Amino acid sequence: MKRVSKTKLSLAIALTIASSVVPYAMAGSTLVTTPNGAAYITANNGGKFKAGTMTNHISTIEADTGSTVIIDKAVSNIGYNNKPFISSKGGSTVSLKEGVYDVQNVDTPIAVAQGGTVNIGVDGNKGNFTGKDLSLVGDVIVKSDPNHASEINIGIIGKESLWDGLAFNLADKDAKNPSHINVFLGDYGSWELFYQGGLHEGKLDGGTQPSHVHRLVGSKNRNYANMVTQSEHNKLYVDKLEGHVNFIYDPNDEGGDTEDPSYQPPTKIYNGVTPDSFWGGDIHITSAAPGAAAHVYTTQKGLDMSSEDNVNKILDNLAHKMYYHNYVNGERNLQGTVAIASNGSESGRFKVLTSGHAKEGDITWQADKDGQGKYVYGETKPAPKPEVKPEPAPAPKPEVKPTPAPAPKPEVKPEPAPIPKPEVKPTPAPAPKPEVKPAPVPDRNSHIHVIMGDFDTPHMRGARSAIMSNINGWRTLTDNMYRPRVLQQGEPTGIWARVGGGKYSFNATGIDTDTTYTRIQGGYDANTSSGWTVGGQVSYLRGNDDYVFNGTGKEKAFAVGAYGLKDLGKNQYIHIESQVGRASNDFTVRNEIGERLSGETKANAYSISARYGKTVKLSNGTYIEPQAQLSYTHFGGDSFNAGSMHVEQSGVSSTAGGLGLEIGKNFGAGNIYTRVGVNHAFSGTVNTAYATGNTTKYTKQDLKGTWTDLAFGGRYGFNANNSIFADISTGLSGDYKAGWSVNAGFTHKF
């Protein structure tokens, strides 16, 4: 499953490379231009070749006998003499930091290490990534060498970086020197196990030869979407798994590259219910680091999820693809989960199990079957047991009471004899009523109430992140009552402008967003005869968001406002400000296996704020100023689509207060200050509904909370009519946290 067309990605990276040419340098090595204009690089006997960005496409790299080749970025054009693209022998090292390297249907490996080291995307076996633009297509091979270790290290970290190919360890297991392949996926790396013809020269069966890596390293937690997609019958052996890694099975080619002209749709559909449905090779993990986890997903396309029993069988068959061999020896480091990849708000299970991850269950490792995985699901069927309760039908045992019916022989009681007939009514009465209670069955598949992010899908989390980024973008745009404050500090009235940028984040249950932004503000103000200084302003913000599971968003917010400053006497003042505007977010969110949903959310908003302060003047122009602020914000609701998922977001009103302390010093031409603030939102809840197909889910996101910030700044007046000002600030704590911001501006008085 590819998140992006390989052709498109390669072209994009190639264009980037072509636009940034860096001359290369050689020492003790040879560069030959092949007949097709590509570069053929050799380094022997301690020779060195080092390049920045290569202008020539590379055909072959050969390093032998203690040589070194280092290339920052390049594009391959493989095929010269049908040699491996990279060959490292005799204690040599070849390092490619990033670029596009593709075997282009040539039956040759992309890299062979035999007594040498090859680093692609990392600087060695410690896994320090060297670049985020990497497209690698080809198999890699390590072989034994009597004198040197053989090692290939591959790092794939960029959001659109990928590796397509298999990893073959052909070394003698009893060899004196180790031969290893290490793969580092980071947070977003994508590796598709897809044979590229690298065993042709070795005359080994590319359809059965297993892949074997020494270390497979994933992300630090589950909020990321690295992927290992099993697209071959070949097994994958992992000596040690570290971090969280997502393993993907796509039995009906849901993620096929349909844009590829050579693409052929599958001729057989696997329903997932039979053991042979997940035809890809098994995953064998020997050992795991503490806290490691293997998360196994299947795509939904073609699966028979018509009943809960079928869903359970699907998950069990999927669990059978995984092995944790050291479980047999008592090791207990590896957590395993199986799941059907989510789609919008839809759940592949009738019953949602775990917090934060829909239609998922734990893998049970079986010590008696060499650590093979199993999904235990027998406990899901007790629900029908209420059907046993109808046995209260024995309640008709009152038929024993009818025996006293003979007692009614006083002809008055014979009439009650028919009363026992209602005994027929009690029997149905209890029986049907329990059948109504099990009716929550439709609730499993139609309306599942979700609070604070429990049981939501990654697509839901992404949409909720986009909404919260929108709200926080508005908060960032309208915060701080900036212009009234600098006026109070002595700025002249007139036209003014302010430009800056920064970063803010929001971290709550199920949400982890980061936004970098730029902000532009400008306006005009003047003194009035009433003692007020009043003005108007316009503000604009643009931001780029990062969400969980590799989601992204582009924010825009616009506001117009009015403000006023009044000197109350005795070194006291009040600021008042109001703003009205609109915020929007064009976003793309992904599920556990990288499938995208895109949409746009927009809403109108307004804010009203007031700040009171009292300046305590000390000697030599120094002052201390306690401040108190109260604000009210209303952010409108919205109804929008994100691909197949419809989202209904309610409007939200929030009241917040803040206390601050500013310490500064005034001097002839201006002032400097530092300010610390504590803010608290007293109210505000965002209610959101998500609907996909027949499934509707709900979340509540609480805006209440406390955050703190710290700022440094100052102004300088060139004369009575012109001045400049600047500040820098950072957030100290809170769910909403202003990571940093830098601003600068000027004022001109007519």
Side-chain angles (χ1 to χ4, degrees), residues 720-742:
N721 296 327
N722 297 281
S723 63
I724 58 175
F725 49 85
D727 67 64
I728 181 172
S729 64
T730 183
L732 301 177
S733 62
D735 291 346
Y736 166 78
K737 184 177 179 181
W740 58 269
S741 71
V742 178

Side-chain angles (χ1 to χ4, degrees), residues 343-634:
N343 177 27
S345 63
E346 279 189 334
S347 179
R349 305 188 55 124
F350 290 137
K351 185 177 180 182
V352 180
L353 291 183
T354 60
S355 175
H357 299 275
K359 57 199 173 302
E360 174 180 283
D362 291 330
I363 295 177
T364 298
W365 307 111
Q366 303 174 93
D368 60 342
K369 293 187 176 180
D370 200 22
Q372 186 180 28
K374 178 178 177 60
Y375 176 63
V376 180
Y377 58 91
E379 320 76 295
T380 57
K381 292 187 178 182
K385 287 182 180 177
E387 294 174 16
V388 180
K389 293 181 181 177
E391 293 180 3
K397 291 178 180 177
E399 291 173 15
V400 179
K401 294 180 181 177
T403 53
K409 288 179 182 177
E411 293 152 19
V412 181
K413 294 182 181 179
E415 295 176 16
I419 293 181
K421 293 179 182 177
E423 292 169 20
V424 182
K425 294 181 182 177
T427 55
K433 285 181 182 176
E435 288 170 19
V436 177
K437 291 180 182 176
V441 173
D443 198 39
R444 300 175 185 168
N445 203 28
S446 60
H447 291 76
I448 301 174
H449 191 68
V450 185
I451 299 176
M452 291 295 291
D454 292 339
F455 313 129
D456 57 348
T457 67
H459 283 149
M460 291 169 57
R461 290 188 177 193
R464 194 160 85 258
S465 296
I467 292 169
M468 289 306 305
S469 291
N470 234 15
I471 294 173
N472 289 325
W474 177 260
R475 180 187 299 187
T476 302
L477 181 66
T478 60
D479 74 345
N480 208 21
M481 302 180 67
Y482 185 80
R483 183 57 183 170
R485 185 173 61 78
V486 295
L487 283 169
Q488 190 274 329
Q489 291 177 337
E491 275 285 306
T493 56
I495 61 170
W496 61 274
R498 178 194 185 204
V499 62
K503 182 175 182 177
Y504 61 83
S505 61
F506 186 79
N507 194 310
T509 304
I511 298 181
D512 186 4
T513 72
D514 288 298
T515 301
T516 55
Y517 69 91
T518 55
R519 176 175 57 190
I520 301 173
Q521 296 175 295
Y524 174 79
D525 42 47
N527 296 317
T528 68
S529 58
S530 63
W532 282 88
T533 301
V534 298
Q537 65 183 14
V538 294
S539 305
Y540 179 73
L541 178 144
R542 296 190 65 160
N544 294 308
D545 304 331
D546 285 321
Y547 309 139
V548 295
F549 293 99
N550 196 15
T552 59
K554 294 186 179 296
E555 291 182 35
K556 294 180 183 178
F558 172 81
V560 296
Y563 54 86
L565 165 66
K566 173 72 172 179
D567 188 345
L568 302 177
K570 298 183 179 180
N571 296 317
Q572 302 176 87
Y573 67 85
I574 185 171
H575 299 164
I576 298 176
E577 183 174 292
S578 65
Q579 298 197 66
V580 60
R582 188 170 178 83
S584 65
N585 195 326
D586 189 354
F587 64 89
T588 295
V589 297
R590 303 175 190 266
N591 65 358
E592 309 94 333
I593 60 174
E595 295 175 322
R596 310 180 187 196
L597 292 182
S598 297
E600 183 179 17
T601 176
K602 55 185 75 174
N604 299 322
Y606 63 86
S607 300
I608 303 172
S609 303
R611 176 187 299 204
Y612 167 83
K614 180 177 175 60
T615 305
V616 180
K617 296 182 179 180
L618 306 176
S619 60
N620 300 319
T622 305
Y623 66 90
I624 299 176
E625 184 178 287
Q627 305 164 346
Q629 181 173 322
L630 185 66
S631 63
Y632 173 83
T633 298
H634 178 78

Side-chain angles (χ1 to χ4, degrees), residues 174-216:
D174 299 322
K176 177 177 70 174
N177 298 303
S179 299
H180 292 156
I181 301 172
N182 300 308
V183 180
F184 304 88
L185 298 176
D187 296 339
Y188 304 113
S190 177
W191 175 21
E192 182 172 8
L193 294 160
F194 195 70
Y195 180 55
Q196 302 294 330
L199 290 177
H200 178 74
E201 292 181 348
K203 298 181 180 180
L204 295 173
D205 187 354
T208 60
Q209 181 69 28
S211 287
H212 187 172
V213 300
H214 181 57
R215 294 173 64 200
L216 179 59

Side-chain angles (χ1 to χ4, degrees), residues 686-705:
V686 185
N687 296 300
T688 311
Y690 316 80
T692 305
N694 294 321
T695 300
T696 302
K697 295 183 180 179
Y698 305 89
T699 61
K700 290 185 178 181
Q701 189 65 56
D702 200 342
L703 298 183
K704 291 184 288 186

Side-chain angles (χ1 to χ4, degrees), residues 26 30-34 38-42 80:
M26 292 181 292
T30 303
L31 183 145
V32 176
T33 302
T34 68
Y40 178 12
I41 300 167
T42 61
Y80 187 65

Side-chain angles (χ1 to χ4, degrees), residues 58-80:
I58 304 175
S59 177
T60 303
I61 300 173
E62 292 185 341
D64 201 352
T65 320
S67 302
T68 304
V69 176
I70 302 173
I71 299 173
D72 291 344
K73 186 180 287 189
V75 176
S76 64
N77 185 21
I78 301 169
Y80 187 65

